[in-house]
Amino acid sequence: MKMTKIFAVGAALVIGTAAFALDGRQVMQNAADVKEPEFTHALVTMELIEKSGAKDVRVVEEWGRSKNDLADVVMEFKSASAAPDIVGTRFMQKEQGAGKDDLKWIYLPSLKKVRPVAASEGSSSFMGTDATYDDMSTRDVDDDVHELLAETEAKNGFKNCAKVKSTPKDLKKSQYSYRIGWVDKDTWVPVYVEMYDKKGKLVKTLEVKSLKVINGYPTPLENVMTNVQTGHSTRLVMDEKKLVFDKPQNPKIFTEAFLANGAKAVK
């Protein structure tokens, strides 16, 4: 399940690499090559936390599928404590493969229409969270140059991490000048990522707070993205009891008709 380039960071055990010296690209390729569930269904609690501590608590239902190594994800906002007008908002993202941008659509109840999310909106916040639309997109390994800064380093409670600096080959196609990630080598999950703005200043962090292997899939159950420049953060907690892997989902869910009509479209 892709979301969450925020909602769920991909993960699985890659066998055989420990016997060889790693370089930065290999670390990131290992993370990208992780096997994903064919289908996922999850309920996620999303907290938008102001610098003052005030919170907007939302509940999001999420469906995912992986087909021919391409992932689709659909989200529906079920409740929101401080922004009830977003309830019923639905979002869909579809991977298109190497060298192609992910396709995205959003349905806003206030407009009562589905519209595509344009590439020019990539740096815009997704539904008021600290993630942009581009943060949620799939980024090809070879879009960046990867430098191994440390082969083994402890970070964020994980003792066996590879530390990698990833710099875009084309700065015009990235909102960040570079990223530094710590990838847990036991699962190949990126457990902590720092993102630097075009001036080279730290702007955001993404940290995995809880990671558990479920049905053979290493699964981040809680992660937090923080904008260190504004003090705002977004916390995502997956309900483990309602998390379902590899149970086929109705294909109608992954359509614009579902975005427009919700449950009516799958009956």
Side-chain angles (χ1 to χ4, degrees):
M1 180 165 53
K2 286 286 184 184
M3 201 55 189
T4 72
K5 290 282 171 188
I6 290 186
F7 283 109
V9 181
L13 182 63
V14 178
I15 300 172
T17 56
F20 303 94
L22 293 173
D23 60 23
R25 187 191 180 286
Q26 185 63 60
V27 171
M28 302 314 293
Q29 188 66 58
N30 288 353
D33 286 345
V34 164
K35 181 181 178 182
E36 297 183 342
E38 185 176 358
F39 295 99
T40 57
H41 187 202
L43 202 64
V44 180
T45 298
M46 172 191 291
E47 296 180 356
L48 276 60
I49 307 171
E50 302 288 345
K51 186 176 182 179
S52 65
K55 295 181 181 180
D56 178 8
V57 181
R58 305 171 176 184
V59 175
V60 180
E61 188 170 8
E62 181 180 335
W63 299 264
R65 70 176 177 183
S66 181
K67 186 177 181 180
N68 298 324
D69 292 325
L70 297 176
D72 301 334
V73 63
V74 172
M75 303 165 55
E76 181 175 12
F77 285 76
K78 310 296 285 188
S79 67
S81 63
D85 55 313
I86 73 166
V87 174
T89 296
R90 289 180 282 272
F91 172 79
M92 179 167 63
Q93 177 171 292
K94 290 177 174 284
E95 287 186 347
Q96 298 300 295
K100 299 179 181 180
D101 293 336
D102 295 349
L103 298 179
K104 305 179 182 73
W105 298 263
I106 193 164
Y107 170 80
L108 298 173
S110 59
L111 300 179
K112 296 183 179 180
K113 64 182 296 186
V114 177
R115 69 168 183 85
V117 178
S120 59
E121 299 177 77
S123 61
S124 300
S125 166
F126 172 69
M127 300 299 295
T129 70
D130 292 279
T132 64
Y133 285 103
D134 280 351
D135 286 332
M136 295 159 57
S137 292
T138 305
R139 190 167 179 85
D140 294 339
V141 173
D142 287 325
D143 284 344
D144 304 307
V145 175
H146 306 283
E147 177 187 358
L148 184 66
L149 301 180
E151 187 164 341
T152 301
E153 183 172 293
K155 186 68 173 179
N156 202 33
F158 297 86
K159 298 180 180 180
N160 187 28
C161 296
K163 181 180 179 181
V164 177
K165 180 179 180 180
S166 299
T167 304
K169 292 180 179 178
D170 186 348
L171 285 172
K172 294 180 181 179
K173 294 183 178 180
S174 174
Q175 62 187 300
Y176 306 115
S177 59
Y178 63 93
R179 291 164 285 118
I180 296 178
W182 284 259
V183 180
D184 173 43
K185 291 189 291 183
D186 296 326
T187 59
W188 298 112
V189 174
V191 293
Y192 196 95
V193 182
E194 296 177 342
M195 291 152 269
Y196 292 79
D197 65 19
K198 290 297 180 67
K199 295 181 179 180
K201 295 183 179 180
L202 179 65
V203 58
K204 287 189 284 191
T205 62
L206 175 62
E207 55 184 316
V208 173
K209 294 284 193 178
S210 175
L211 177 66
K212 184 176 181 179
V213 178
I214 302 174
N215 293 351
Y217 300 107
T219 305
L221 293 173
E222 178 183 354
N223 55 52
V224 177
M225 179 173 275
T226 301
N227 187 316
V228 300
Q229 296 181 2
T230 66
H232 191 278
S233 61
T234 303
R235 177 175 177 259
L236 300 149
V237 180
M238 196 171 293
D239 187 336
E240 183 181 350
K241 294 181 180 179
K242 296 184 179 180
L243 178 61
V244 179
F245 287 137
D246 292 325
K247 180 180 179 180
Q249 303 295 319
N250 191 323
K252 292 181 180 179
I253 291 172
F254 304 95
T255 65
E256 290 184 53
F258 179 78
L259 294 188
N261 300 299
K264 295 178 182 179
V266 298
K267 291 182 178 179

